[in-house]
Amino acid sequence: GAVVSQHPSRVICKSGTSVKIECRSLDFQATTMFWYRQFPKQSLMLMATSNEGSKATYEQGVEKDKFLINHASLTLSTLTVTSAHPEDSSFYICSANLGHHYGYTFGSGTRLTVV
Amino acid sequence: GESVGLHLPTLSVQEGDNSIINCAYSNSASDYFIWYKQESGKGPQFIIDIRSNMDKRQGQRVTVLLNKTVKHLSLQIAATQPGDSAVYFCAENRSGGSNYKLTFGKGTLLTVNP
């Protein structure tokens, strides 16, 4: 089946630094990928939709200059958390759509801790 | 605003019993619904889906029911096992022109007691 590989699985960084998270589609081409954030005991909240070759579409309230998304190829989307602060500590998850009504496949998530 | 929500935040069952997890949605234009299982520290895992032109769909030990009249979705797990313990999310697929995205409900924590 379609697999999305997400790395790293965990990262600890110092406040003020930037962190890049990668999401790769392994055996299919993903023209659209989605980035979610999940705080403890809460649901997944969509942050942005990443489109190959074009600018990402951000959800209301998500700072596009803080959460940089790059989708330069059909198999790779990256999320960079810039100038990270402790409140950015969260579980970040990527997803790819397999076509309308064909479902979505999710990465395994990245646990970001900012100290 | 439009949202997908759940009636029960937690559910505790005995091993071997059947489990029912409920979900309410508010967007009548949603045309595709998915149930996911999420274990601690992992990404969501697909369980079963249903399209809006269906009322029921069955999988292995799982059944999803869709009631469009009252905008209600349920997940039934037969003969629940300890390995079923996880958080379960319903998700609503909303189409908007050429874009579509998945919106998640709040989640239900299912605990299976041996």
Side-chain angles (χ1 to χ4, degrees):
Chain A
V3 175
V4 167
S5 177
Q6 184 173 346
H7 294 281
S9 58
R10 328 184 145 254
V11 58
I12 301 173
C13 71
K14 291 185 178 180
S15 186
T17 62
S18 296
V19 173
K20 180 185 284 188
I21 302 170
E22 292 189 348
C23 187
R24 295 181 183 271
S25 57
L26 295 187
D27 48 7
F28 67 101
Q29 294 182 332
T31 55
T32 303
M33 288 191 178
F34 304 87
W35 287 95
Y36 292 84
R37 178 169 51 183
Q38 185 179 30
F39 291 108
K41 300 189 186 304
Q42 294 188 23
S43 187
L44 284 75
M45 298 301 297
L46 181 65
M47 299 175 66
T49 301
S50 168
N51 300 298
E52 187 268 336
S54 64
K55 292 183 179 180
T57 303
Y58 289 82
E59 294 299 301
Q60 190 173 9
V62 178
E63 300 175 61
K64 62 180 181 179
D65 294 330
K66 181 170 183 62
F67 299 100
L68 301 179
I69 290 173
N70 184 282
H71 195 157
S73 77
L74 289 170
T75 59
L76 175 65
S77 176
T78 62
L79 168 68
T80 300
V81 183
T82 63
S83 186
H85 291 285
E87 56 266 30
D88 298 323
S89 297
S90 189
F91 193 54
Y92 292 86
I93 308 169
C94 66
S95 170
N97 181 262
L98 303 176
H100 193 49
H101 285 181
Y102 291 97
Y104 298 76
T105 185
F106 285 81
S108 54
T110 297
R111 172 73 60 195
L112 170 63
T113 303
V114 185
V115 298
Chain B
E2 297 167 339
S3 65
V4 179
L6 290 171
H7 296 304
L8 297 172
T10 61
L11 178 64
S12 183
V13 301
Q14 290 298 123
E15 181 178 359
D17 287 352
N18 296 332
S19 302
I20 299 176
I21 300 172
N22 296 301
C23 178
Y25 66 95
S26 57
N27 187 347
S28 57
S30 293
D31 56 2
Y32 179 52
F33 304 87
I34 311 172
W35 280 101
Y36 288 97
K37 172 186 180 183
Q38 186 181 30
E39 296 174 301
S40 181
K42 297 184 180 179
Q45 176 188 352
F46 173 90
I47 300 175
I48 193 168
D49 59 0
I50 188 167
R51 302 178 187 181
S52 58
N53 61 351
M54 302 171 67
D55 297 322
K56 179 180 180 179
R57 190 155 188 239
Q58 289 184 292
Q60 187 177 13
R61 284 201 305 119
V62 294
T63 301
V64 54
L65 299 178
L66 175 62
N67 186 330
K68 295 181 287 294
T69 302
V70 295
K71 299 187 185 68
H72 185 266
L73 196 66
S74 69
L75 174 70
Q76 300 177 4
I77 305 174
T80 315
Q81 304 168 358
D84 294 328
S85 294
V87 178
Y88 289 81
F89 293 97
C90 64
E92 171 185 13
N93 191 82
R94 303 179 182 181
S95 300
S98 60
N99 297 317
Y100 36 86
K101 59 185 180 182
L102 210 56
T103 300
F104 282 78
K106 295 179 182 178
T108 293
L109 173 62
L110 174 65
T111 302
V112 182
N113 303 308

